[in-house]
Amino acid sequence: SFMKVHPPGSSANDKALCILTDSREISSGPEVISCLKNVHGVKVQVCSLGGCDYIVSNRMAVERKIQSEFSNSANRSRLIERIQHLQNLFERVCLVVEKDRVKPGETSKIFQRTKYYDSTLSALISAGIRILFSSSQEESAGLLKELALLEQRKKSGIIIPTEVKGYKQEALQFYLTIPNINYLTALNLCHRFESVKQMVNSSVDVIANLAQVNPQKAEEIFRYLHYVFESQMLPSNNNVKRKQ
Amino acid sequence: MATNESTPIRAGASSVPYGHVIGSDKWRGTELAQLLQGKVKLVFEDGLGLVDFHLPKRTCILYISESDLVSGSAFKRRLVRFRKACNLSSIVIVEKTRLSDQYFPPVQNFVVLELGMSLLPVTNQSEAAQLIFHLVQERSKEGNSNPFILKKRSQLSEPSILQTVQKIPGVGKVKAQQLLLYFPSINQLANASVTELETAVGRGIASQVHSFFRQTQ
């Protein structure tokens, strides 16, 4: 009996919508979070997601960017790094471009569209990144809710407990070190396998099913667990030449 | 599927040469067409059906003007018909102006979330021309110069594995390396007995490692 919770999708409707958010969003998007909770009745779990603003489903991350920051070419490399990071971890990546806040007494600045802005949007769309435009934190909250709902309808909603207690905290930290695995996949491994040993001994199919990842990702995880470690390959031992 | 209406998509328009745009005849003489003409090779054709512009790499542009937005939901039917008719990748460009601003959020929900198409707002035809130019540029690039498209690079697993093993309670860097010397994969480590583990590390840690893998709630 691997399953400790309902099979994916079966109990999606009797649970509140759930979204994970990075702890840094508490300071950068306080109204997004309070709006999700108070207006939309979404359960918001604040975690340390390390390089990801929101997780709305088993496979989708949402990155929230303020328009002035997004359209400033000085931030190009940071944006590329961040999006690549998310592409590594998630099947689907969505970017919300949010209008800058206007402080009381200030008039909103007219947004100057640049070549950089247009070419960045073009490249993102080509890469399959979904882009949404928002005029405020409140509107961004609404978009996050809609995305979570959509993913729930597609049987990818977050239905496992997002809190981790006891020894499972240790297991979670262990799973999080698996390369290219996102926080939610690690949570799935934590909650859906009875023990770490059982997880480590699972087939690709079982991993795909219980971790809620695609077959390629499941195979990547499987290979990692069976990879034969050679200490000469560690960077500190670089002077040792690799045998061909 | 037989239909007595005009074909929604022109056959063959899915292959457009790099640097070219095929525009619907109805755009002839517009500000957008004039601005675009100097930058890309714009060819007009009639019978493009629902599509306003065809771009390289099987990309279609559907344009929703300010008056389309304000005057009702005819544009929605057009988008739905397009979605049903073909699987070309499509970008919807919408005129989001002071007048049409209030209509934008529901349209975005409809286009992006319900239909799964891309949506890009512009404020006028001049911005649209600039944007289409960049979309054509992006689709005319050779190779994989798009920085957002992931290039698979093989990474060494050793440093990660060392990190993973160090997450077992009681195991630091030195003990992790000792364990991996005897049980060189996470799978082998997870299946080792206490006695086997004791050959690599002390009794206390051996039992901690053993129980970490077997703990259940």
Side-chain angles (χ1 to χ4, degrees), chain A residues 4 84 87-88 113 122-123 126 133 167 174 177 194-195 197 200-201 224-227 229-230 233-234, chain B residues 108 113 121 127 135 138 146-148 150 156 158 160-161 164 169 177 184-185 187 191 213 215-217:
Chain A
K4 301 209 85 182
Q84 283 187 343
Q87 297 254 73
N88 262 320
R113 211 174 169 115
S122 303
S126 259
F133 297 87
Y167 97 91
F174 179 86
T177 61
E194 226 155 56
S195 67
K197 186 185 169 194
V200 171
N201 285 325
Y224 181 72
L225 300 172
H226 292 262
Y227 184 89
F229 181 91
E230 288 178 66
M233 298 306 289
L234 284 171
Chain B
Q108 176 167 258
L113 301 180
E127 279 193 3
L135 288 166
E138 168 56 38
N146 185 336
F148 299 108
L150 220 52
L156 275 181
E158 272 78 4
S160 311
I161 290 179
T164 303
Q177 278 181 309
S185 73
N187 185 268
N191 289 297
F213 284 108
Q215 243 160 348
T216 57
Q217 226 153 35

Side-chain angles (χ1 to χ4, degrees), chain B residues 190-204:
Chain B
N191 289 297
S193 69
V194 182
T195 338
E196 286 169 331
L197 287 165
E198 278 174 9
T199 58
V201 287
R203 180 169 290 180

Side-chain angles (χ1 to χ4, degrees), chain B residues 84-167:
Chain B
K84 283 181 178 164
C86 81
N87 56 2
L88 297 177
S89 74
S90 49
I91 298 165
V92 178
I93 293 181
V94 59
E95 282 180 5
K96 182 177 185 279
T97 63
R98 217 170 278 176
L99 189 66
S100 65
D101 203 28
Q102 56 177 311
Y103 302 97
F104 181 77
V107 168
Q108 176 167 258
N109 279 5
F110 178 71
V111 174
V112 183
L113 301 180
E114 280 183 50
L115 298 179
M117 298 160 94
S118 299
L119 179 75
L120 293 172
V122 295
T123 52
N124 51 43
Q125 288 196 14
S126 145
E127 279 193 3
Q130 193 66 244
L131 176 61
I132 291 175
F133 166 69
H134 284 285
L135 288 166
V136 174
Q137 286 254 323
E138 168 56 38
R139 275 151 188 77
S140 302
K141 280 179 187 164
E142 292 289 345
N144 45 1
S145 55
N146 185 336
F148 299 108
I149 294 177
L150 220 52
K151 292 151 199 85
K152 273 278 169 209
R153 46 175 206 273
S154 57
Q155 268 178 322
L156 275 181
S157 294
E158 272 78 4
S160 311
I161 290 179
L162 201 57
Q163 291 292 319
T164 303
V165 175
Q166 284 180 71
K167 291 294 174 186

Side-chain angles (χ1 to χ4, degrees), chain B residues 21 32-33 48 51 89 116 125 129 158 160 173-174 195 208:
Chain B
V21 172
L32 168 53
L48 289 194
V51 175
S89 74
Q125 288 196 14
E158 272 78 4
S160 311
K173 197 174 178 184
V174 174
T195 338
Q208 262 183 300

Side-chain angles (χ1 to χ4, degrees), chain B residues 9-29:
Chain B
I9 313 295
R10 174 187 161 283
S14 58
S15 58
V16 176
Y18 285 168
H20 285 61
V21 172
I22 299 176
S24 159
D25 230 14
K26 67 183 175 210
W27 283 95
R28 213 183 271 272

